[in-house]
Each structure stands twice: as C-alpha cells, then as structure tokens.
Amino acid sequence: MASFSGSSLPRIVVGNARRSTDCHREARTARIGGSASFPSLECLSIPFEAKLIATRGSWTPRASAEALPTLKEKRGKGAEEEVEGRPLRVGIVCGGPSAERGVSLNSARSVLDHIQGEDLHVSCYYIDCNLSAYEISPAQLYSNTPADFNFKLESLAQGFCSLTEFAEHLATSVDIVFPVIHGLFGEDGGIQELLEKANVPFVGTSSAECCQAFDKYNASVELCKNGFATVPSFLIQENHADRNELIKWFDKHLLDISTGKVVAKPTRAGSSIGVVVAYGVDDSLVKAQNIISEGIDDKVLIEIFLEGGSEFTAIVIDVGFDSHCEPIALLPTEVELCGVNDTNEDTIFNYRRKYLPSQQVAYHTPPRFPADAIEFIRQGAALLFKHLKLREFARIDGWFLPSPSTNLFSSSDNFELGRTKSGIVIFTDINLISGMEQTSFMFQQASEVGFSHTNILRTILHRACSRFPSLKPRSKSWKIMSQKIKSANHAEDVPRRKVYVIFGGETSERQVSLMSGTNVWLNLQAFDDLEVVPCMLAPADGYASAEREDIAQVTARVVWSLPYSLVLRHTTEEVFSACLEAIEPSRAMLTSQLRKHVMSELAKALSKHDWFTGFDIIDEPPKKRSLEQWIMQAKEAEATVFIAVHGGIGEDGTLQSLLEAAGVPYTGSGPMASNTCMDKVSTSCALAHMQNVGIFTLPKSVKGISELINSSIPATWQDLTTTLQSETLCVKPARDGCSTGVARLRCEEDLKIYVNALENFLPRLPANCLSKAHGVIEMPFPAPKYLIFEPFVETDEVIVSSKSEGESTRHLMWKGLREWVEVTVGVMGQFGEMHSLCPSITVKEAGDILSLEEKFQGGTGINLTPPPTMIISNEALQACKQRIELIANTLGLEGFSRIDAFVNVHNGEVLVIEVNTVPGMTPSTVLIHQALAENPPMYPHQFFRAVLDLAHQRFK
C-alpha cells in the first residue's frame, strides 16, 4: 500500500480513481518515556471536589483546586485531626496484576461516578501488574485501559516505594478503602491482608475468607462439606498432570475418554478468563497446560459440561448490624447464550460475551425458572454467603438443571442443599468483588428491587463502616452531613428541565447506541435541575425490518419510555423483550410478586439502620408511543432531546428534521450536515475542493451487495485494485459505523470470504479467517445495501511497552517509517464556530483495523491523548486542529461530532476517513479523554451537560 503525501492525494473518485503518488521519507524511531511528551501532574490531578455543578442553569465551582491539598501535602500531614462534619474519606483502589485490571478500571470509574458527593471525598489509587502502587487523579480513571496511562504513571501520578508505604499512606489519608481489584490480589485476599496489617478499614470480605472462596477448588470442597450440590471436578496442578487418574475420573462419570465434553478453567481467575471447552482426556490435558503456560494460573479444574441447564448469577448484600451478618440475595439473573449452534465457538459464557454487547447472550432478571427454583437460589446464595463468612456483597454464580436434565446426579448422591421440586441448583463460582460497570449484574439486580446505582453503593459503604468501631463516630458524622446536604438541595426547589435521551434503532450500531444512551442518561442524572428520561427507538415490527424511506413508516416506529431497571440491559433486543415482558400480564405479575417479596425482606432489615432513607427507584411499566406521538409529547413537555441513536434515522438527518419541524430542541448537527456526513461518499465530495489547504479525502469505489454476490470474485478484485491503484483495500458499509463490517482485504480470497459472509448473513467473521491475523469482525445486521472500497492506508505500529527489568519508566515505541498516523478528534461548538478538542492517536493492539472491542468494550483499546510530541510536533498538532475546525465548519457541523482522519506528522495535513455527527458516547469513548484534556478539564457529566446546553442555546 502506498503512503500518502500532501499534494499528491487525489480527489474523490466514485468507481474510478487516479493513482496516488508514493512518498517515503527517512525512517525514524522515537522512544518516548516519562514526562517528555505528556502534561505535568497539575494538568490532570484536579480533585473531584473541584468539579463544576449546575445550579439553576449556571455553573458554580464547589471548591477551588488551589484550596485543596496536593498529594505531597496530604502525605506529609500524617494522622489528621478529626474534623466534625467533614466528608467521609474513601479510597478507591483498582488495577491489579490479573488480566481483569481493565474491567477493574471500569468498575472503579463507575463507583467514583455514583458515590461522589459533597459528603464524600474520594481518592483514587492504582496498582499495576508489577504490584507497584500509585495515587492517581480521578481524571485518570477515565482512561480506557491500563495501557492508556501505564507508561505515564511516573509523570502523572504519585508513586509509592512499596506496598507497605502505600498501606501506611492509606492509614492516615482515608477513612475506608473500597477495593475494586478483580482477580488476583483483589479477590484472593492479597489487598485485604495488606489493609488488615495496617489497620485500614475496607469494604468487603476479610483476607482469609477471600483466599478460601476465591479458589474454585477449595470453595467447591467447602460447599460439599456444607451439603451443597457441586459440579464433579478434577484438579490438575502444574507438573502434576496424572493422565491415568484423569482417565479414571472420566470413566467414573461415564464420559468418553476421547470425546467427553468438559470445561477447563483456572481455579483462581475471574471474568471467565481462560475458561475453555475441552473434548476427552488428551484435549483436557492440553488445554489445562495452555492455561498454566499462559501464566493465568498454576492450577486448573476440569469440570463436567452441564448440558441442558441454565446459568444464573445472584448478587447478595449483607444488611446486618456490626459483626452480625444478615445476607439477602437480590433478584437473580438468568444468562441465556444465543446462537450456540456455531460450531466454531465454545458454548460458554466467555469474556467476550460478558463484556461486549452482542446478540450472543441475553439476560433475564428475574430468571425464567419455576418460583421454587428462584427462591432456593436466593436462600441458598444467602446461606452460602454466611457459611463462607463473606462481607458486604458478593456475586454467586451457578446452574439450574431442570428435572429431566438431572441424570448427572442420582438420589444416592450425598448433598442436602440443591434439590427442588423442579430441578437441581448448583453453585459454582464466588465473586468476592463483583464487576461494577454501569450495566453490571449488581446494578441490574439492585434496580429491580428499588436501588439506584448510588443507593446500592452507599448502602454497601454504610454497612462496611458500621463494622469498624473506629469508624462509628466518623460514619455518624457522614450521615448527618449527608442529610443536611439533601435537605439543603430540596429547600432550593430547583426547577427541573426535561431531557429525553433517545437511543437504540435498528442498525448494526444499535448496541453501541444503547451503551451511549445509558452513559449519557446516568451522567445527566447528576444535575438536580434536570429530569432525564431514557427512551429507546425500535422498529414497529421488531428487529427484522430492512431500511425504510417512507416518512409515514418512520413516524410509526415505536419509542419506549423506560423505567430505570429496563435500561440496564445487555442489548437493545433485551430491552425490547423486557418491555414486552413488563406489559405481559402473567410475567408482569410474577415479577411484581418477586420484587415485592425481596423488597419486603430488605426493608425489614434496613429499617433498623438509621442511615437508610428508603428505596429510590419506582416500579413502573414502560410506555409505548409512536415516534410521532413521542415527538409531540417532547414538545408539550418543553423537553430537549439528546440524540444517541447511531446510524439510520438518528444520524442521516431524518430524526433531526422531524424534531426541527416540531420545534423540539435536540443535540448535534442539523438535518443537512447529518445527511451529508452519514454518507461517506457525500462527505468526501463536500471536502474535495480543500486540497489547497491541506485537507484530503481517499478515492472510493461503491459496490452493491447484490452486484458483489453475482459477480466473478477475481474480476471484481482486479477491477477494484486497478481502479483504486492499491494492492490492499479497506472495505466498509457505505452508511454504517462503529467498525461493523470493516476489514482489510489483501487478496481475492479475502474478498471471497467477506462476500460469502454477507451472502450467508453470518453475524461475524471468526478471528484469523482472512490472509493476515486479525480479531473477530462483527458483520453489520441488517446487511447494508452498499459497500465502500478504498485504499488501505498503512501507518506505523505504536507499541505501548510495559516496564522492563532494569528500566525505571514505561515508554512508547514508534518507528517513523511512514509520515501518517491515525487520529480521532472531537469537535464542539455552535454553527460556524466549532472548536477542536485535542486529537487522540488511535492504537490498534492487534490487526490492521480498530476492532469493535477496542472502540467500545471497556478495558480494551488504547488512545494517546494528547499525541506525544515525539510523534507529532506541537506545530503540526496545532495545524491539524485548525484544519479539523475548518472541516467541521465547512460541513456545517454544530453541537458536537467526531472526525476520524490520518494526519501528516510533519505538517498537520489531514486525510479524512469519516465524520460522525452522533459519535459514540460510551464510558470508553475517546471523547471523554479529550474533554478531560481541555483547560479546565471537563468530566463526563460536565461534557454531556455542555453538549445539552449547546442544543438549548441554539433553539432559544
């Protein structure tokens, strides 16, 4: 593939293009580390108390950054004198050495978002994979992955010489620690033992009990001792793999030694990391050895694969007094795996299915089990919680095997707990620190029984404080302060403006849209002057419809106004199904009965605590309206619509036109700009005249799906490579985004595989099915009518290095063999006055295309914000930003948008890839990084409020 240089870039060509001139400059290698390329600590360490809040529509600072102590000043104070009425000091600790540290970052960010307040002072800490501890700013929690800031820790964070020094610091600087480290060092008792030795109060189970429960083998033995049904298992330890004993185990459980289906899992890991299906003795040994050799664990469990059952998970919270444990399980969730007939994939609830929204999994809260099974799951989980001496909260996973499928157990099996009239309940995994991402099981189940995110987290925190005698005075002071703040807020009687956040739709981007809408909705709830209503757009006939053009059909589409609990789902299909279930009389009645039962138990226990002020989520059904009716309702309510519908009518100008015609304010660009940017070819045409100012577009060839399917693959490949004058091509849907269907094609065989996937409506291309290694490629559904082919632009690989032995800093490795890097840039402002945020260099961790996971799945993906100066000079960066603003104003953008482009590292010339007028707004979006890099920094809730206010101002 040719490298593109400034003036040699061609104009847009549809179906035909001139050859672009190659331009190779001298290769250069930049080794970047420490503070050479990144801002000083002061730029990003503004405490959360200094955030801006909206009061009666105006911005008011809570406290100045200068008035608060710096990290070093706090370190030097030693033990503080207790101040009556001061906020409770909470230390969030995340990261850790396991592969789950990315999920840990997401959990910590969510905890920070929802416990923040004037009555709490939150400090944030990060432990890296080498068990080095750092105090970080809250802003750093919004980095997408540990790799996003690992190499910057030495310049942006306060490091500790040892874990002992870290624990000593916590003992004098916080009142209580909230650990959110998943896996090793977080759930195995490591962080707990460190805190216990330093006499630091913390949320959660003590070290000894963590150690026992985290080890799946030890926990299984303990469960068996206490009379619980368990899955038959065989333990394989490093250097102790006895094939003959494993054969005997297979024979004992009537499994074929060559083909018997089992599950191999690490004994001490979470998030389904390393869990695989194996067939027969030899395959089991090989896969167990792979888990060991990959360093995931040195002990592996081989378990019988449970056929015909359903997986579930249950959150248990302790609502007891002092040292008295009183666990209550919330409403459990059934985990349904969908599309499990795909023989190329393991039929298990793996890491990808857990954390990437797709139609491969669906959750049902409460489960679709018989009532007696649901009740035993709840009572059994609570009993297990008590037996294992757990504290505050835990997530307990298991299986329900209906009676016809229970031949795994005979009536002579020696267990007392697990048999119900309708089947057998088996508990399999104990999660001491459950994931706490925005739509995690904890928040799903809590919202079903009346708890908001904030309420359940503060309930857990209050319970933890009540266990520590030293914290009782502090906890009482915190309670009084909290009540005063609430009373003051209510006394203000702030008028509330309605905001409708709409997401969903029917395009392949609908799952990301759900994530965006949920994130916006939760963040805007931080403002007392807003009443935020989540709404989901769905086609009138479900999710099987094709693209529509008729305006009458568009306005007849369904919009659901959602109650709190129905938003916290995995996919739009799940939300849609939950809406139908909620209005189906028998299902609604059962759910209502179960909810009332659980809430009654909780209310009885929590009423004994003087800090509990009640449930804050109302049980109400979703409301169904046509899009036309919904717009009229928004007009009557004088609401502003926050558009988070990616693709389709949300991004092509249709929804914008309808809202504008009704006089309803909305976020983002107007109809004309939206329609232009939705079509990648139209975008290029609109910018084709700007080559003289250093703005370029790629040549494109548009092909219809039917044309590709019915044409000769060799002839099509020859035509494309000749037309575009490139040996390798990038293919993408003409109007879809979010990386669905985007792939690099190197040969005609790659094109054949891609077209075959479209012809057969395959949901995804498996990893490494094309000629060069790549990850899973999600295909667009419904299938697009047209595809765009364009030359693939080769850029240098940017490598984020971990700390090597003998080195004191982490660093980036970048070989400047080519002069172009890929960036993504947010723009904000009013029409004609768009402001460019700081560009981010996008780093592809594997393959040639930024994957769906790297863009939107929490814990993955790397973005360098701001770009290191050794890759792009400050002069080139400023020139880039000026061109980005010129692009935005030329296209007529307003509100906020995102522009993806290649940038020349020497002169800041821009090669436009695409423009998104409704960009991703997920917790992992790079726009958050860029907003935090502004001066002053904008936290997520401030960023979304600013976008909302731009919409309101435009329609005044």
Side-chain angles (χ1 to χ4, degrees), residues 11-17 679-685 697-702 720 723-724 732 788-791 912-914:
R11 59 183 174 82
I12 175 70
V13 179
V14 179
N16 192 11
D679 189 313
K680 298 176 178 68
V681 173
S682 296
T683 305
S684 292
C685 289
T697 58
L698 282 166
K700 293 174 172 59
S701 180
V702 180
L720 287 169
T723 298
L724 299 174
K732 61 182 72 172
I788 287 176
F789 294 86
E790 58 191 23
V912 178
I913 301 172
E914 64 184 39

Side-chain angles (χ1 to χ4, degrees), residues 415-664:
F415 61 87
E416 302 170 3
L417 302 171
R419 294 187 193 279
T420 70
K421 291 179 181 179
S422 51
I424 291 178
V425 173
I426 304 174
F427 296 107
T428 57
D429 295 276
I430 294 98
N431 301 270
L432 287 311
I433 300 178
S434 175
M436 286 172 275
E437 295 178 297
Q438 287 183 344
T439 57
S440 66
F441 292 124
M442 172 183 281
F443 298 128
Q444 283 185 32
Q445 295 180 23
S447 66
E448 286 283 356
V449 293
F451 288 104
S452 67
H453 289 63
T454 297
N455 201 0
I456 189 66
L457 287 171
R458 286 188 166 225
T459 295
I460 289 169
L461 197 53
H462 268 294
R463 173 65 184 112
C465 287
S466 73
R467 286 193 297 104
F468 297 94
S470 63
L471 274 185
K472 285 189 176 180
R474 177 72 249 121
S475 181
K476 183 178 180 181
S477 176
W478 172 38
K479 181 197 72 175
I480 293 171
M481 185 179 185
S482 176
Q483 290 173 344
K484 285 181 179 178
I485 291 169
K486 285 182 180 178
S487 298
N489 288 341
H490 287 304
E492 289 177 2
D493 193 24
V494 177
R496 304 181 79 196
R497 177 153 51 101
K498 279 210 169 185
V499 179
Y500 290 172
V501 179
I502 187 167
F503 49 84
E506 61 185 350
T507 74
S508 60
E509 302 173 66
R510 60 188 179 272
Q511 314 306 359
V512 175
S513 173
L514 173 60
M515 295 169 69
S516 290
T518 302
N519 190 41
V520 171
W521 163 62
L522 286 171
N523 271 282
L524 289 180
Q525 286 189 94
F527 298 97
D528 293 329
D529 64 328
L530 299 179
E531 181 183 344
V532 191
V533 181
C535 307
M536 191 187 76
L537 171 69
D541 57 352
Y543 284 92
S545 60
E547 293 181 13
R548 295 168 174 160
E549 301 296 333
D550 188 276
I551 194 66
Q553 289 177 310
V554 170
T555 56
R557 291 184 184 178
V558 173
V559 177
W560 292 88
S561 296
L562 304 171
Y564 195 111
S565 62
L566 291 197
V567 186
L568 306 178
R569 302 299 171 119
H570 197 64
T571 63
T572 52
E573 287 81 0
E574 248 183 83
V575 177
F576 186 71
S577 296
C579 287
L580 297 180
E581 283 186 2
I583 60 175
E584 195 278 316
S586 60
R587 176 69 176 175
M589 182 179 295
L590 175 62
T591 301
S592 179
Q593 289 172 348
L594 290 169
R595 179 186 292 114
K596 288 177 181 176
H597 176 60
V598 177
M599 291 179 73
S600 176
E601 288 183 18
L602 289 165
K604 183 179 178 181
L606 289 169
S607 64
K608 302 171 187 175
H609 299 274
D610 59 1
W611 46 260
F612 183 67
T613 56
F615 302 106
D616 57 345
I617 299 298
I618 300 171
D619 176 23
E620 56 185 359
K623 295 180 176 64
K624 177 182 177 182
R625 296 179 178 86
S626 70
L627 178 59
E628 184 176 30
Q629 292 169 334
W630 179 81
I631 290 174
M632 287 301 102
Q633 185 196 38
K635 180 179 176 64
E636 290 170 8
E638 298 183 343
T640 301
V641 172
F642 200 118
I643 299 176
V645 178
H646 302 311
I649 68 168
E651 205 163 353
D652 67 2
T654 302
L655 182 56
Q656 290 81 358
S657 293
L658 292 171
L659 291 168
E660 206 156 281
V664 176

Side-chain angles (χ1 to χ4, degrees), residues 910-921:
V910 174
L911 172 60
V912 178
I913 301 172
E914 64 184 39
V915 179
N916 299 274
T917 54
V918 183
M921 291 166 278

